Amino acid sequence: MTPHAHSRPAWGEPPPGPIARLGRRLAGLLRGRPATGRPTALPELPLVLRRSAVAAPYLDAERRRDHPAAGAAAAAASERAIAAAEWWPADAWAHRALWHYEQAQMALEATHQARRIGDLRVAAGDPATARRYYAEAIDEARDIGAEREQGLAALGLGRAQLDLGDVTVARRLASAAITLLERSEAPAAEIDAARALLGTEVAVGEGTEEAR
């Protein structure tokens, strides 16, 4: 996996602030400040998103203060934007989904959404800011015993580190991901992806040498 050539987009929602709790096993990999927590309220949905075809179910759920439904509608809108490589709307919707899931105390869904924000930011060419969301997902997944989500977040963080040129840490995270994914009986494609990251090679001189 090579670094993305396109420039970093402007994100649709402000970042949630520093991570509340960095994963204990990964704390040495990242730098950050103690968290101040999530915002207590969301800003108004941007007009361009409010007028989009996917906004109606979200706005209805938001008016009813139905956090589970609003989270699901925002997550679905984010996934559609990710599929279309529309990174700004994808990020805006994903942050709303994360906030609503947290308000509803839906820990697994919130953990999944944090990971998806990491995924979309790596895909958009911004692995540096993706790392905070992967770290949060790893920490939360471990707390609730969601090993598959923890493994997928470790895999995503490994890919982000690889994009940033840190092959050693990327392979260490890949190894952890393999263990977690195998233990949770994740789909073979996910385990194979972690094994592919573990087998990453880097160029040395005119040949290649497996990273150690």
Side-chain angles (χ1 to χ4, degrees):
M1 188 174 185
T2 57
H4 298 273
H6 41 77
S7 60
R8 186 175 73 186
W11 295 119
E13 293 282 356
I19 301 304
R21 298 186 309 277
L22 288 177
R24 288 180 291 276
R25 298 176 186 173
L26 301 171
L29 304 179
L30 302 173
R31 295 179 180 176
R33 295 173 296 174
T36 57
R38 299 280 188 229
T40 57
L42 285 174
E44 186 176 4
L45 185 68
L47 184 60
V48 66
L49 299 184
R50 183 175 289 272
R51 291 176 173 174
S52 65
V54 299
Y58 171 77
L59 292 171
D60 178 63
E62 186 184 43
R63 279 192 294 269
R64 293 185 283 107
R65 298 183 181 274
D66 185 341
H67 289 300
S78 178
E79 291 298 327
R80 289 185 61 172
I82 290 171
E86 297 173 349
W87 307 122
W88 182 86
D91 191 72
W93 283 119
H95 273 87
R96 284 177 179 265
L98 176 59
W99 187 84
H100 285 292
Y101 284 143
E102 289 180 334
Q103 298 306 300
Q105 298 183 4
M106 299 171 69
L108 180 60
E109 290 79 2
T111 298
H112 172 82
Q113 202 58 46
R115 176 175 64 81
R116 290 300 286 154
I117 294 173
D119 290 344
L120 77 88
R121 290 199 172 189
V122 169
D126 189 5
T129 67
R131 294 180 301 172
R132 71 174 65 189
Y133 296 96
Y134 286 131
E136 181 173 3
I138 290 167
D139 192 44
E140 296 297 331
R142 184 175 53 250
D143 286 350
I144 63 175
E147 289 192 328
R148 183 184 174 197
E149 277 296 330
Q150 188 181 352
L152 290 173
L155 173 59
L157 182 55
R159 286 171 168 164
Q161 292 296 133
L162 181 60
D163 273 6
L164 293 167
D166 195 337
V167 179
T168 300
V169 170
R171 296 185 75 240
R172 189 185 311 158
L173 287 160
S175 180
I178 291 169
T179 299
L180 290 161
L181 293 171
E182 288 182 338
R183 200 157 60 197
S184 63
E185 300 183 347
E190 295 174 0
I191 298 171
D192 289 345
R195 287 174 177 158
L197 180 60
L198 182 63
T200 297
E201 294 185 351
V202 292
V204 178
E206 296 181 355
T208 60
E209 178 179 299
E210 187 176 3
R212 291 181 173 83

